[in-house]
Amino acid sequence: MFLVHGEEIAADAPVLRTGGVPLVPAGFTWPLCRECGEAMQFLAHLPLDFGTVAVFMCQDDPGMCDCWDAVSGANRACLFTGPLSAAVVPAEGETLLGAVTALRPHSDDEPAEESVLGKLGGEPEWWQNDETPVCPSCTTPMTFTAQLEEGHDHTTAINFGGGGRGYVFHCQACEEAAFVWQR
Ligand SMILES: [Zn+2]
Ligand SMILES: [Zn+2]
């Protein structure tokens, strides 16, 4: 199912969106980049039928950390279940996108290309080789969850290297998620 550009919404809206603040369980700690140690940027809130996936990636010094890599520790995807509430955003760092954008499901015909911000389920459309990650807990290949485009407004877009694409995966049994991007 395609996800198309929706309206600008509240930062803590409990809907499919890029930007805004993550909704997290009690005791959540904002992820820090394993390579540079700085707070990551929150990219996407994806409430789905098996749980909620939150995607983060290091943007402290774009291009310096391996933020495209599923195992570098320079990005983080979390799968949450149970009650969630808005996270406390760290006071410093590149932590938030420039806009909060609803990702509106579009199931019928093929939407106009410029409106597409991603898709849910189906098969990943890789730019490069298949980089399906294995679950860090059970080591089986993870299930493809969603694909994210950068967005067309450069002042608010996600940075996937300029025209890249993000891929979200999960393992429901282990409550794990992973993220990789390519261009
Ligand atoms: Zn970093
Ligand atoms: Zn697993």
Side-chain angles (χ1 to χ4, degrees):
M1 183 190 297
F2 287 102
L3 298 171
V4 300
H5 202 294
E7 67 281 20
E8 176 132 4
I9 50 171
D12 62 350
V15 300
L16 292 160
R17 58 179 157 87
T18 57
V21 299
L23 303 183
V24 299
F28 176 80
T29 306
W30 194 281
L32 304 180
C33 175
R34 201 191 297 151
E35 295 189 351
C36 71
E38 300 297 328
M40 290 188 195
Q41 184 180 60
F42 176 63
L43 301 186
H45 173 75
L46 305 172
L48 300 162
D49 51 10
F50 53 83
T52 294
V53 178
V55 183
F56 299 82
M57 136 178 126
C58 179
Q59 278 294 285
D60 182 59
D61 190 356
M64 293 308 290
C65 296
D66 298 322
C67 62
W68 60 86
D69 189 308
V71 297
S72 65
N75 71 49
R76 176 88 65 83
C78 308
L79 173 54
F80 301 134
T81 56
L84 305 176
S85 57
V88 176
V89 179
E92 301 205 348
E94 291 297 319
T95 53
L96 301 177
L97 290 175
V100 191
T101 307
L103 300 173
R104 189 160 51 81
H106 179 103
S107 47
D108 353 316
D109 50 343
E110 184 126 346
E113 193 184 328
E114 62 273 15
S115 71
V116 175
L117 286 178
K119 66 172 195 162
L120 284 181
E123 295 292 326
E125 292 152 1
W126 296 108
W127 279 131
Q128 309 290 338
N129 296 330
D130 183 335
E131 291 187 288
T132 300
V134 296
C135 174
S137 296
C138 69
T139 72
T140 57
M142 297 178 90
T143 304
F144 177 61
T145 316
Q147 192 162 290
L148 297 172
E149 307 292 339
E150 288 190 319
H152 304 286
D153 180 345
H154 296 295
T155 62
T156 60
I158 299 174
N159 180 10
F160 292 147
R165 183 180 277 163
Y167 307 86
V168 183
F169 293 82
H170 72 279
C171 177
Q172 190 171 357
C174 302
E175 295 193 5
E176 296 275 10
F179 180 72
V180 54
W181 67 260
Q182 295 183 344
R183 67 179 289 268

